[in-house]
Amino acid sequence: MCCFSRHVESVSNTNIFARSSSNGRQYLVYSMTIQSKEDLAMILPIPVPSGSPDDAVKFIDLKGYPD
């Protein structure tokens, strides 16, 4: 579940896809429809091993792939 940094009017159509990959890697895809009257941040807590470097998580923007 995610949190938001400011007030949200509504959140719907949430989809979560998670799978293991090779070399201990994992993929997590999170999509939703959100309505808000102001810019905000979505905060999605994800577990990482203790002592992981700051770049242990890579974000991939899938906006160009609506389907």
Side-chain angles (χ1 to χ4, degrees), residues 3-47:
C3 305
F4 296 96
S5 62
R6 297 186 185 265
H7 180 74
V8 174
E9 299 296 318
S10 72
V11 177
S12 60
N13 300 320
T14 300
N15 294 292
I16 301 172
F17 173 85
R19 288 292 183 270
S20 295
S21 183
S22 60
N23 299 325
R25 294 179 182 225
Q26 299 177 42
Y27 288 97
L28 175 67
V29 180
Y30 191 104
S31 69
M32 67 183 157
T33 301
I34 181 173
Q35 291 184 331
S36 177
K37 293 182 179 179
E38 56 189 331
D39 289 340
L40 52 81
M42 181 186 88
I43 302 146
L44 181 63
I46 55 174

Side-chain angles (χ1 to χ4, degrees), residues 42-55:
M42 181 186 88
I43 302 146
L44 181 63
I46 55 174
V48 295
S50 181
S52 293
D54 289 342
D55 63 354

